[in-house]
């Protein structure tokens, strides 16, 4: 017999007895802990915890479990979420004209490596319409002309958010979507939108950053996945990685290596999000791997 499984994530002011209180609550409600991780941040004085558990007592309903824990959360001033471990989050992908991250995430989704549902792909170009169709995923072309007015950008973003609302999207992934989101949209999507970019910033901005890096003789290429905020490319970092390069590599080789790193870093960040392993800690994140 299989039992319902949950993932509990929480943060609260740090003090003695939190783990005891949570584990005791679960034991009293007929739950068996499968795995658990916790972290106390001395600087923010916050405590973070992720618990994966099975609800083994058929007499304790989902509603009872949630209502009873809500009382504990209120008492300990917790920011807590209780997730169904078997429910696949709904993810929307956004892309422009560079498709390596999109292609990688779609492959991981199709092969079962990424436990998500993808009800929509949004782009301001039509380059990946056929790729989307090959996975039988609705493709939404929402063009935005270069130099578009503020009114046109607001209208386009409202259409994007309508797709988010209609499809009950849990996570928006900017898989090399080359448009700056408005502060209003960033606020609406706080904590549930992830972006990927090369890690040369702020040194090499603008077009062809890998060519700029080659001209400067860089020896490390990296990528950063972070939550989207109103501060461009400065949101809470989720994951980063680097790859060594040398003088014998041309700018095209550097670009290819960089794209590989971007794919891996973004895939890790998305997987950790859908597995409820990321907790916000001010301008930083706590990631229970």
């Amino acid at each position: 017999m299989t039992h319902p499984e949950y993932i509990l994530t929480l943060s609260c002011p740090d003090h003695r007895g939190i783990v005891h209180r949570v584990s005791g609550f679960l034991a009293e409600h007929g739950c068996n802990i499968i795995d658990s991780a916790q972290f106390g941040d001395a600087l923010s004085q916050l405590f973070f915890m992720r618990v994966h558990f099975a609800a083994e007592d058929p007499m304790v309903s989902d509603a009872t479990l949630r209502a009873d824990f809500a009382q504990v959360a209120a008492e300990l001033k917790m920011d807590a979420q209780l997730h169904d471990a078997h429910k696949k989050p709904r993810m929307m992908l956004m892309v422009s004209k560079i498709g390596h991250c999109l292609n990688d995430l779609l492959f991981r989704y199709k092969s079962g490596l990424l436990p998500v549902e993808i009800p929509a792909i949004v782009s301001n170009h039509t380059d990946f319409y056929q790729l989307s169709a090959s996975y039988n995923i609705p493709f939404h072309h929402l063009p935005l002309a270069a130099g578009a007015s503020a009114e046109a950008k607001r209208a386009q973003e409202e259409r994007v958010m309508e797709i988010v609302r209609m499809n009950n999207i849990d996570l928006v992934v900017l898989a090399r979507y080359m448009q700056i989101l408005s502060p209003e949209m960033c606020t609406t999507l706080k904590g549930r939108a992830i972006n990927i970019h090369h890690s040369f910033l702020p040194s090499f901005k603008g077009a062809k950053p890998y060519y700029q890096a080659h001209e400067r003789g860089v020896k490390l290429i990296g990528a950063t996945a972070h939550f989207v905020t109103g501060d461009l490319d400065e949101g809470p970092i989720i994951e980063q990685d680097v790859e060594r390069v040398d003088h014998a590599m041309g700018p095209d080789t550097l670009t290819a290596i960089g794209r590989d790193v971007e794919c891996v870093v973004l895939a890790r960040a998305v997987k950790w999000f859908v597995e409820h392993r990321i907790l916000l800690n001010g301008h930083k994140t706590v990631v229970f791997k």
Side-chain angles (χ1 to χ4, degrees):
M1 178 181 178
T2 58
H3 301 287
E5 293 184 14
Y6 296 87
I7 295 174
L8 169 66
T9 59
L10 64 91
S11 62
C12 64
D14 197 2
H15 57 80
R16 288 192 300 270
I18 299 172
V19 174
H20 179 268
R21 187 69 183 276
V22 172
S23 60
F25 171 90
L26 294 176
E28 292 166 3
H29 287 72
C31 301
N32 180 47
I33 294 176
I34 298 171
D35 64 73
S36 176
Q38 56 272 335
F39 169 69
D41 186 349
L43 292 178
S44 67
Q45 296 186 330
L46 292 175
F47 180 82
F48 302 84
M49 191 173 186
R50 177 188 185 272
V51 186
H52 179 193
F53 65 90
E56 298 181 347
D57 187 346
M59 301 302 293
V60 179
S61 68
D62 177 270
T64 297
L65 191 66
R66 293 178 183 277
D68 289 356
F69 190 78
Q71 297 179 23
V72 175
E75 180 184 339
L76 298 183
K77 299 179 180 179
M78 290 179 175
D79 180 5
Q81 290 81 37
L82 188 58
H83 309 276
D84 181 342
H86 294 302
K87 181 181 179 182
K88 294 182 178 181
R90 295 171 65 81
M91 178 173 75
M92 184 178 85
L93 298 172
M94 299 184 71
V95 65
S96 290
K97 295 177 71 68
I98 301 174
H100 56 285
C101 288
L102 173 69
N103 189 57
D104 180 76
L105 290 174
L106 290 175
F107 173 79
R108 292 173 190 267
Y109 151 75
K110 190 67 173 181
S111 59
L113 298 173
L114 199 56
V116 295
E117 295 179 5
I118 306 179
I121 295 174
V122 171
S123 180
N124 54 329
H125 299 278
T126 58
D127 298 56
F128 300 109
Y129 169 78
Q130 290 183 329
L131 177 63
S132 178
S134 72
Y135 284 91
N136 198 30
I137 298 173
F139 182 88
H140 302 269
H141 178 218
L142 304 181
L144 193 60
S149 65
E151 291 76 14
K153 289 183 178 181
R154 281 196 296 269
Q156 193 252 17
E157 286 193 345
E158 179 52 41
R159 293 177 66 191
V160 173
M161 292 307 304
E162 182 179 354
I163 295 169
V164 169
R165 291 188 292 268
M166 289 180 61
N167 289 280
N168 297 314
I169 297 298
D170 300 300
L171 172 65
V172 174
V173 177
L174 276 59
R176 297 304 303 270
Y177 180 69
M178 308 306 289
Q179 291 291 329
I180 298 174
L181 304 186
S182 68
E184 294 77 16
M185 188 172 182
C186 291
T187 299
T188 302
L189 294 175
K190 181 181 179 181
R192 58 190 184 112
I194 295 176
N195 191 21
I196 184 72
H197 62 75
H198 59 79
S199 292
F200 296 141
L201 297 174
S203 297
F204 307 128
K205 299 179 180 179
K208 295 189 174 183
Y210 291 100
Y211 281 71
Q212 298 178 49
H214 178 262
E215 290 179 0
R216 291 290 302 274
V218 301
K219 299 297 185 279
L220 282 174
I221 285 178
T224 296
H226 61 90
F227 282 115
V228 174
T229 67
D231 297 320
L232 182 62
D233 293 332
E234 295 184 15
I237 294 170
I238 302 169
E239 173 63 341
Q240 294 176 301
D241 206 347
V242 295
E243 193 74 35
R244 283 205 164 273
V245 295
D246 61 42
H247 63 277
M249 299 176 180
D252 290 337
T253 301
L254 266 60
T255 301
I257 293 172
R259 289 181 175 179
D260 287 344
V261 178
E262 290 171 12
C263 288
V264 171
V265 169
L266 181 58
R268 287 179 191 153
V270 171
K271 189 172 188 292
W272 293 337
F273 182 95
V274 302
E275 293 178 350
H276 311 293
R277 297 183 180 277
I278 308 169
L279 285 77
L280 283 168
N281 181 18
H283 297 298
K284 302 185 293 185
T285 61
V286 173
V287 182
F288 291 120
K289 301 179 184 178

